[in-house]
Amino acid sequence: LPQIFGIINRIKKKENGNKMRNVYLDYSATTPVKDQVLQEMIPYFTEKFGNPSSLYDKGLESKDAVTHAREQVAELINAKPSEIFFTAGGTEADNWAVFGTAEKLKAKGNHIITTKVEHHAMLHSCAALEKDGFEVTYLDIDKDGFVDLKQLEDSITDKTILISIMLVNNEIGTIQPIKEAAAIAKRHKVLFHTDAVQGLGNVPIDVRDMGVDMMSLSSHKIYGPKGVGALYIRKGVSIANYMYGGAQENRKRAGTENLPGIVGFGKAAELAKANFDNHVKHCSQLRDYLKDRIINEIPDTFVNGTMEHRHPGNLNVTFEYIEGEAILLLLNQFGISVSTGSACSSASLEPSHVLSALGVPVEMIHGTVRFTVGDFTTKEDIDYVVDNL
């Protein structure tokens, strides 16, 4: 402890001679809103504030803005605009997919298949259904983080009504074989949902080619505002409404629309599509540079998950014999923001369920840090992080 406090005091006094800088390496938790997105949103807080359900000019102006945003989001994933339903975020979209399917198809069956490494929005929803008599199969992952497609197919029964497998894992960045998994679901006439919150803007997404029935999306992971997301529901798929009230979202999700948020989401989707190749190249190069420096310069470190078929900005590293939260707090003193796991569970002392499923020993899980780079990360940022790390 005296050594730690001595380090902190030296940092605060800047006695180390290094210029303090702020480096954000937690882009999988959230992203800053890009200026183009903010500028698009601002008028809808002020002069263009009409309710999209109103029939006069101000209302119609707002309705047109929502329609345009729906088109922008749809284009990013090659969907029809009519298949995009705006929500309050990715968590709501996951909940809607699970509970909406369960309510609609409960007469057909009570079995759901998902994985052990899903976001808690999915896992906790399934746990709630289990209390109501539903059965849930949780698929294993291998040492690289991939699901076993044979186990998936073997788990399907005549009571299975939904399969949900996330596209990109939020902790270790593994990109799952969604197209192949969706094809298995289709053969057995089971609805297939994927949580694509981490994948949106980071991996190619084509809902037609992938063959999914539902997909959860979120704005604040692609440099858009928080508090808005969407659920893609393929035309012809029927699930129960999530909220009742007015006729918004084609009578499926009531409530006055988050107009500025939806406009911002649309603009962020447009930018993500236009900048996709540059974004992936930029992030993957810096991520690999970060990995090489850490592994080569810091002993007793290893990467969790495969480096192939991985989120371009994700690096999950275990530091043996060291507490991850200590690393996080000390890096914070240098103005560096990282995560010890997913942001949604960072306040929990429970070991990461993802790393546990990966087979990482508990004591090593607690020494794990997730770094995620983004559009505003520079090589100088990476050098500053590793030098202080």
Side-chain angles (χ1 to χ4, degrees), residues 120 171 325 340 345-353 356 362 365-366:
H120 282 120
E171 291 193 39
E325 283 201 354
T340 53
S345 61
S346 59
S348 172
L349 294 178
E350 293 296 318
S352 159
H353 67 287
S356 294
V362 172
I365 291 176
H366 284 296

Side-chain angles (χ1 to χ4, degrees), residues 363-384:
E363 63 273 16
M364 292 187 182
I365 291 176
H366 284 296
T368 299
V369 175
R370 182 189 70 179
F371 305 87
T372 42
V373 304
D375 284 353
F376 299 109
T377 309
T378 65
K379 184 173 181 291
E380 290 73 24
D381 288 336
I382 301 300
D383 286 331
Y384 179 78

Side-chain angles (χ1 to χ4, degrees), residues 6 35 67 98 122 175 237 281 288 333 337 352 371 389:
D35 185 62
T67 298
V98 174
M122 177 58 60
I175 303 170
V237 171
K281 181 180 179 181
D288 290 347
Q333 295 295 326
S337 301
S352 159
F371 305 87
L389 184 62

Side-chain angles (χ1 to χ4, degrees), residues 1-16 20 326-327 329-334 388-389:
L1 282 177
Q3 290 177 325
I4 292 175
F5 287 125
I7 292 171
I8 292 174
N9 287 331
R10 286 199 300 274
I11 294 168
K12 288 180 177 178
K13 295 176 182 178
K14 300 182 182 179
E15 291 178 354
N16 61 357
M20 181 74 74
I327 298 174
L329 294 172
L330 286 169
L331 286 178
N332 184 59
Q333 295 295 326
F334 286 94
N388 287 293
L389 184 62

Side-chain angles (χ1 to χ4, degrees), residues 39 41-50 58 61-62 259:
Q39 296 307 316
M41 293 172 63
I42 287 175
Y44 293 92
F45 286 107
T46 52
E47 68 266 22
K48 298 181 179 181
F49 59 85
K58 276 196 175 297
E61 179 181 52
S62 296
L259 181 60

